[in-house]
Amino acid sequence: MAPSRTSITPASSTALITQRNQEDLARSKTLHGHTWDDAHHQDSFLSKLNKKDRGFQSVVVDKYLDNWKEDRPELESDEDKAQRQTSYKAAANSFYDLATDFYEYAWGTSFHFCRFHPREPFHQAIARHEHYLAANMGIQPHHRVLDIGCGVGGPAREIGHFTGAHITGLNNNDYQIARAKRYAVSAGLDKRSDFVKGDFMNMPIDDSSYDACYAIEATVHASTLEGVYGEAYRILKPGGVFGCYEWVMTDKYDPTNADHLRIVRGLEVGNGIAQMLTVNDCLKALKTVGFTIEKNMDMGETDDKIKWYYPLEGDIRQANAFWDYLTVLRTTTAGRAATTYMVRTLESLGLVAPGSAKVSTILQTAADAVLEGAMLGIFTPMYFFVARKPLASSQ
């Protein structure tokens, strides 16, 4: 069972967290420069890259990559694995400081995959994926709902509009929180949403205070699933519901297969993940912390005519709107390579901050691993579950 927390944290721990949060904020503002300002919120992708700190971005990139000292995971020492588990929060924070502008440029403000129906526009499919989760969870207008790992708030805004519920976004990345707040104001949801900084392995939230919580392709960044699921259990009221799309390796994954291990390493390095886990790890963690699993399935393992990974695969025939063509062109193998080449050229001319091309290469590694893992059937970014905290639960 998840431990109780009568007070959020002892005073000394609270002071340490506050200090670290202030340091995180200072680093993020240094890195992003003028893009922090409200006046530059809607700047173009290249304008944002141009405004990054010229000296600091390369330092952040190199420090991020230091989390994976060995290219081949089978040769990695237990000490290096343990160190990466310990530094999960810093790695994920650095990753999203580096990747957020690229994500918004290529994909939009909802950083997740989804299923597609024929003749369904890309962003409509993204929204339907979010609606499906909210509907299966039974979110109601009077509910207080927590979005665990909310990104720049795309799903929080969509689910807020769809359900009428009040959504709180929890995020450890200051740059994303600032952007989420600005988007909420633009969408007219600033009175029915809020965004707070916090580690989802140690949420700054009282016990039994939310009716529902969800995570969309976010809790993969946790050092352990038991840790983050245990926190979800703790903050839910008895009878509360937890819904999720989880990144996991499927039953087809073979940890002794060198190609499978190579793909796993690409997923980890390319997405700021301490360690990829399996479907069984996910289900075991839910049961261990006390949840009752009501629904679970791999949403990626379907007979859909259009595969969820078609934008990465580059099947432009499946695009259904003008903006879909642009999205697919940017996210194909050729499109990703073109973006990296463009950024590298601009970096050599001094028009974007040093390190930008290296970030683009990291994200290209991620997309290649996602696509290869998906086509082999060993990886899914949308293992769906709905789990409930028992009414008679005791913290």
Side-chain angles (χ1 to χ4, degrees):
M1 295 292 183
S4 176
R5 187 179 300 178
T6 53
S7 61
I8 299 298
T9 50
S12 58
S13 296
T14 301
L16 180 60
I17 291 170
T18 299
Q19 178 185 342
R20 287 176 176 170
N21 286 351
Q22 290 171 345
E23 291 169 354
D24 282 351
L25 180 61
R27 278 194 296 267
S28 190
K29 285 188 173 183
T30 298
L31 173 64
H32 295 291
H34 293 303
T35 53
W36 258 95
D37 300 338
D38 286 343
H40 297 285
H41 173 59
Q42 297 289 5
D43 279 4
S44 70
F45 169 60
L46 292 180
S47 177
K48 290 173 185 172
L49 295 189
N50 176 263
K51 291 181 174 68
K52 306 300 180 193
D53 186 273
R54 298 283 160 152
F56 193 42
Q57 178 163 263
S58 290
V59 174
V60 175
V61 174
D62 291 341
K63 188 172 182 180
Y64 168 76
L65 290 172
D66 279 346
N67 286 288
W68 294 272
K69 296 180 175 65
E70 175 57 63
D71 289 337
R72 294 175 59 187
E74 66 270 27
L75 300 180
E76 189 173 44
S77 70
D78 290 339
E79 182 181 356
D80 285 342
K81 292 178 184 177
Q83 176 59 38
R84 193 166 62 250
Q85 294 289 95
T86 302
S87 60
Y88 73 94
K89 184 169 65 171
N93 204 8
S94 295
F95 174 76
Y96 283 110
D97 264 335
L98 297 168
T100 293
D101 293 327
F102 284 86
Y103 275 13
E104 289 197 49
Y105 161 72
W107 203 258
T109 60
S110 288
F111 301 163
H112 62 79
F113 294 99
C114 67
R115 295 170 65 187
F116 295 94
H117 291 328
R119 297 181 296 280
E120 182 179 38
F122 177 86
H123 289 293
Q124 183 176 317
I126 289 282
R128 180 172 54 81
H129 197 64
E130 295 159 2
H131 296 174
Y132 182 88
L133 180 63
N136 276 276
M137 291 172 62
I139 295 176
Q140 300 298 314
H142 63 276
H143 282 172
R144 289 188 69 215
V145 181
L146 182 68
D147 182 332
I148 301 172
C150 65
V152 296
R157 293 189 297 277
E158 189 63 42
I159 290 174
H161 279 306
F162 180 64
T163 65
H166 184 283
I167 313 290
T168 297
L170 178 70
N171 195 325
N172 196 48
N173 184 269
D174 293 288
Y175 185 60
Q176 290 193 338
I177 292 171
R179 296 190 64 72
K181 288 179 176 178
R182 291 166 185 150
Y183 282 129
V185 171
S186 299
L189 286 170
D190 48 311
K191 298 296 190 296
R192 288 198 289 116
S193 65
D194 63 318
F195 297 90
V196 297
K197 181 175 175 72
D199 176 6
F200 54 33
M201 296 286 286
N202 184 26
M203 297 183 191
I205 297 170
D206 289 324
D207 296 352
S208 304
S209 53
Y210 280 87
D211 300 287
C213 63
Y214 65 84
I216 300 179
E217 301 187 24
T219 46
V220 66
H221 295 291
S223 56
T224 68
L225 291 179
E226 285 84 359
V228 66
Y229 293 173
E231 281 292 272
Y233 185 96
R234 180 184 64 77
I235 63 93
L236 283 174
K237 300 173 183 177
V241 64
F242 175 32
C244 184
Y245 292 121
E246 189 64 90
W247 274 42
V248 287
M249 307 309 294
T250 71
D251 293 340
K252 294 180 181 178
Y253 168 63
D254 178 2
T256 66
N257 183 304
D259 281 335
H260 290 192
L261 290 172
R262 174 181 52 79
I263 292 167
V264 164
R265 182 45 47 96
L267 291 171
E268 292 171 347
V269 176
N271 296 280
I273 299 167
Q275 181 183 11
M276 283 298 302
L277 298 172
T278 66
V279 170
N280 288 335
D281 293 326
C282 168
L283 299 178
K284 179 182 177 183
L286 285 169
K287 294 172 183 175
T288 296
V289 303
F291 278 113
T292 299
I293 301 171
E294 296 186 342
K295 303 174 183 180
N296 63 291
M297 66 176 291
D298 181 0
M299 298 287 287
E301 185 64 29
T302 67
D303 58 358
D304 291 346
K305 180 180 178 182
I306 304 174
K307 298 303 181 184
W308 62 264
Y309 49 82
Y310 99 83
L312 301 181
E313 190 178 22
D315 189 355
I316 202 163
R317 296 170 300 172
Q318 307 301 341
N320 291 292
F322 173 74
W323 292 110
D324 291 5
Y325 288 102
L326 296 182
T327 297
V328 174
L329 286 172
R330 284 193 294 259
T331 57
T332 61
T333 301
R336 298 192 301 272
T339 297
T340 300
Y341 178 78
M342 173 188 70
V343 172
R344 183 176 292 116
T345 300
L346 293 173
E347 187 176 319
S348 69
L349 296 172
L351 297 177
V352 299
S356 297
K358 196 174 286 188
V359 176
S360 187
T361 300
I362 291 169
L363 298 180
Q364 199 170 344
T365 297
D368 290 343
V370 166
L371 180 58
E372 192 172 0
M375 295 183 75
L376 288 175
I378 66 171
F379 162 73
T380 179
M382 56 184 79
Y383 190 80
F384 164 73
F385 66 76
V386 174
R388 192 170 299 274
K389 180 175 180 175
L391 275 169
S393 68
S394 97
Q395 295 284 349

